[in-house]
């Protein structure tokens, strides 16, 4: 029986029908970007301080500017390395008492402000931002700041667990069914996240979205690499990942235009339903006339769970069955782990540098485009090993150097982070590519 590559060689390695499917899959790849790193905008932490009853009335009575109000009523930054900064504490003062004057109102209570008692924020916080995030809505600051990390950890746990199950579902029921089902579920969960009434339900919806979204992206990647001929396989694989970069660039602009997290979440989730409709309409309409081979090829490849010449009952033990497969598996597992951690860490670093969040995110996303071109230029000339090793070295060196850059040199930190981002992007894309090429179809 002919293999997939034999059929593709006869009907066309990258014809019009395949290009249309490739475009739709690229849109799915772009839609995955807000799920993967949307926390940068959904959970940004603005400047904040404790809200104290009576301060607003005193400020109006005295005619203070915002700067004067903060200077008179909010504790200073405190010593470096303090576990809870002064923005998480407040003066234990009754601001409604009439004895307080308008010029340095605390001078009459203590000669030195540092002698005034401080207490935790009991009445909430005031956030210096025109927009909103899950941080400002659920007060995820100070003692509860760890809940922001938990929010991202939930989606990452979903990625891990979902990747284990989605691959089996794709093999058992076909990649098209898997792709459509996971895309629909992810879109629905995205909308539910936008209307989540409390923090717990927010975590639940985010976890469930992680369960299907990473497997959805991986199923699309595997499908498109099997859907085109050998001569185009590397190119479409890299371009599929580049579509994810396009999603990052669009996300920065959309987040700037929609600074409220619930509206932003809806803005990135609702278009996925139109994408599903487009995919279903495309599948329901016949390809161009005069190409019956494409119809047969599409029907065969989208419905068969495995290449008919391959083993039909894969298992995880197949990854370790031979010495060569064991070596490939352990090396790729290590590369997957390190590249995922560094890639996501560098993206999240953008949101913690104190600069312009939107521009920094935009600039760091742009460096992924030359990374894709570097791969296309070098992989056929130098192979995979040397570019992979060099890119890992660049990314590691950049992360090491960033440790020693002073916080006030924001521009230098951003430049070094972008260099590291380019290096780890090359690693990430090449790991995906090598993974698809090294393993047989039935365990891919």
């Amino acid at each position: 029986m002919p293999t997939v590559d034999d059929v593709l060689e006869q009907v066309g390695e990258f014809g019009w029908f395949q290009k249309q499917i490739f475009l739709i899959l690229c849109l799915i790849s772009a839609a995955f970007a807000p799920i993967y790193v949307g926390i940068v905008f959904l959970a940004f932490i603005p400047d904040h301080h404790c809200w104290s009853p009576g301060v607003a009335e005193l400020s109006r009575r005295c005619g203070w500017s915002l700067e004067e109000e903060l200077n008179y009523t909010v504790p200073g930054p405190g010593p470096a390395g303090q576990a809870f900064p002064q923005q998480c504490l407040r003066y234990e003062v009754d601001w409604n008492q009439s004895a307080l004057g308008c010029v340095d109102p605390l001078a009459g209570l203590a000669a030195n402000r540092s002698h005034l008692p401080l207490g935790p924020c009991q009445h909430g916080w005031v956030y210096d931002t025109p927009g909103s995030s899950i941080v400002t809505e659920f007060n995820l600051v100070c003692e509860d700041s760890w809940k922001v990390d938990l929010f991202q950890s939930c989606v990452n746990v979903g990625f891990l667990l979902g990747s284990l199950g989605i691959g089996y579902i794709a093999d058992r029921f076909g990649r098209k069914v898997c792709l459509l089902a996971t895309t629909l579920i992810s879109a629905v969960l995205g909308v539910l996240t936008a209307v989540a009434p409390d923090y717990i339900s927010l975590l639940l919806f985010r976890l469930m979205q992680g369960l299907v979204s990473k497997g959805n992206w991986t199923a699309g990647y595997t499908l498109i690499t099997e859907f085109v001929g050998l001569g185009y396989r590397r190119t479409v694989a890299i371009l599929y990942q580049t579509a994810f970069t396009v999603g990052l660039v669009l996300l920065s602009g959309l987040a700037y235009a929609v600074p409220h997290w619930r509206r932003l979440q809806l803005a990135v989730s609702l278009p996925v339903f139109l994408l599903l409709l487009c995919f279903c309409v495309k599948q329901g309409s016949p390809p161009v006339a005069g190409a019956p081979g494409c119809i047969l090829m599409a029907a065969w490849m989208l419905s068969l769970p495995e290449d008919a010449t391959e083993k039909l009952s894969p298992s995880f033990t197949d990854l370790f069955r031979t010495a060569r497969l064991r070596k490939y598996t352990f090396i790729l597992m290590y590369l997957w782990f390190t590249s995922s951690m560094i890639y996501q860490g560098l993206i999240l670093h953008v949101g913690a540098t104190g600069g312009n969040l939107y521009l920094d995110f935009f600039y760091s996303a742009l460096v992924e485009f030359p990374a894709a071109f570097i791969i296309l230029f070098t992989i056929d000339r130098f192979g995979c090993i040397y570019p992979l090793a060099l890119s890992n070295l660049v990314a590691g060196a950049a992360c090491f150097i960033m440790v020693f850059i002073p916080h006030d040199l924001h521009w230098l930190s951003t430049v070094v982070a972008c260099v590291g981002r380019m290096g780890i992007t090359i690693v990430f894309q090449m790991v995906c590519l090598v993974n698809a090429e090294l393993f047989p179809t039935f365990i891919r």
Side-chain angles (χ1 to χ4, degrees):
M1 185 173 180
T3 64
V4 172
D5 289 333
D6 293 333
V7 174
L8 289 171
E9 188 176 348
Q10 295 297 320
V11 302
E13 293 189 327
F14 196 42
W16 175 241
F17 181 74
Q18 292 148 296
K19 290 175 182 176
Q20 294 178 76
I21 298 299
F22 170 66
L23 177 60
I24 295 174
L25 292 177
C26 282
L27 295 176
I28 291 178
S29 179
F32 179 57
I35 301 173
Y36 193 71
V37 295
I39 186 176
V40 173
F41 301 110
L42 296 177
F44 70 89
I45 304 176
D47 291 334
H48 55 278
H49 60 274
C50 296
W51 181 80
S52 299
V55 168
E57 291 77 5
L58 180 62
S59 178
R60 282 195 298 269
R61 177 167 61 86
C62 295
W64 290 338
S65 65
L66 178 60
E67 183 179 358
E68 289 175 324
E69 178 184 327
L70 295 177
N71 183 47
Y72 290 146
T73 63
V74 176
Q82 188 173 5
F84 294 100
Q86 297 293 309
Q87 62 185 0
C88 297
L89 300 173
R90 64 178 182 87
Y91 290 120
E92 292 190 335
V93 172
D94 181 9
W95 295 99
N96 292 309
Q97 58 183 300
S98 58
L100 296 177
C102 292
V103 179
D104 198 2
L106 297 178
L109 301 179
N112 191 327
R113 290 189 188 183
S114 62
H115 297 157
L116 289 172
L118 298 175
C121 298
Q122 298 178 342
H123 307 284
W125 285 262
V126 177
Y127 298 97
D128 183 18
T129 175
S132 67
S133 70
I134 65 171
V135 171
T136 63
E137 181 165 335
F138 299 111
N139 289 325
L140 306 184
V141 292
C142 301
E143 294 91 341
D144 289 332
S145 60
W146 60 272
K147 293 181 179 180
V148 178
D149 298 326
L150 181 61
F151 175 74
Q152 183 64 16
S153 297
C154 281
V155 74
N156 286 337
V157 170
F159 289 163
L160 172 64
L161 300 179
S163 296
L164 298 176
I166 298 299
Y168 171 78
I169 294 173
D171 292 333
R172 178 67 178 83
F173 301 102
R175 308 208 192 285
K176 183 183 71 171
V177 173
C178 174
L179 200 64
L180 290 173
T182 53
T183 301
L184 175 61
I185 295 172
S186 180
V188 171
L189 289 170
V191 173
L192 291 176
T193 300
V195 298
D198 52 52
Y199 176 74
I200 298 300
S201 58
L202 188 70
L203 292 184
L204 178 62
F205 294 143
R206 197 65 170 171
L207 172 64
M208 295 173 65
Q209 191 175 34
L211 286 172
V212 296
S213 57
K214 184 62 180 292
N216 168 265
W217 185 90
T218 306
Y221 182 89
T222 306
L223 177 61
I224 196 57
T225 56
E226 295 175 350
F227 208 66
V228 300
L230 187 60
Y232 293 89
R233 195 160 293 161
R234 286 180 172 178
T235 302
V236 299
I238 294 170
L239 292 178
Y240 179 80
Q241 296 181 82
T242 305
F244 175 83
T245 304
V246 174
L248 295 177
V249 172
L250 295 177
L251 176 62
S252 60
L254 186 61
Y256 179 79
V258 187
H260 299 278
W261 79 270
R262 290 187 184 272
R263 298 174 188 174
L264 176 62
Q265 181 63 31
L266 282 175
V268 299
S269 300
L270 293 177
V272 180
F273 291 101
L274 297 178
L275 179 60
L276 271 172
L277 179 62
C278 176
F279 193 85
C280 291
V281 170
K282 175 58 197 164
Q283 291 302 305
S285 60
V288 294
C294 288
I295 301 176
L296 294 175
M297 179 270 294
W300 180 48
M301 295 187 65
L302 287 173
S303 59
L304 277 183
E306 293 292 341
D307 187 338
T309 62
E310 298 277 11
K311 182 179 176 181
L312 293 177
S313 56
S315 69
F316 288 110
T317 59
D318 292 319
L319 293 170
F320 309 95
R321 192 168 298 279
T322 66
R324 174 170 292 186
L325 281 177
R326 284 194 295 272
K327 181 179 73 172
Y328 290 162
T329 299
F330 285 125
I331 292 176
L332 287 172
M333 285 175 65
Y334 176 78
L335 290 175
W336 271 110
F337 173 77
T338 55
S339 59
S340 299
M341 181 175 62
I342 295 175
Y343 180 80
Q344 193 171 86
L346 287 174
I347 291 180
L348 298 182
H349 171 77
V350 171
T353 56
N356 187 304
L357 176 62
Y358 305 100
L359 284 179
D360 288 349
F361 189 92
F362 176 74
Y363 293 147
S364 63
L366 289 180
V367 302
E368 295 194 10
F369 290 109
F373 289 120
I374 289 173
I375 297 175
L376 289 171
F377 178 77
T378 60
I379 193 168
D380 289 329
R381 292 170 175 81
F382 304 104
C384 296
I385 296 179
Y386 293 111
L388 192 63
L390 180 60
S391 300
N392 259 314
L393 181 62
V394 170
C399 291
F400 182 76
I401 292 172
M402 287 170 61
V403 176
F404 303 98
I405 298 177
H407 185 71
D408 55 339
L409 293 178
H410 170 71
W411 67 271
L412 182 58
S413 177
T414 301
V415 170
V416 175
C418 286
V419 173
R421 175 81 170 271
M422 181 185 296
I424 205 62
T425 298
I426 294 175
V427 175
F428 217 148
Q429 294 197 13
M430 293 193 72
V431 167
C432 293
L433 193 61
V434 170
N435 187 85
E437 292 183 349
L438 284 182
F439 291 114
T441 302
F442 71 94
I443 60 173
R444 187 171 294 154

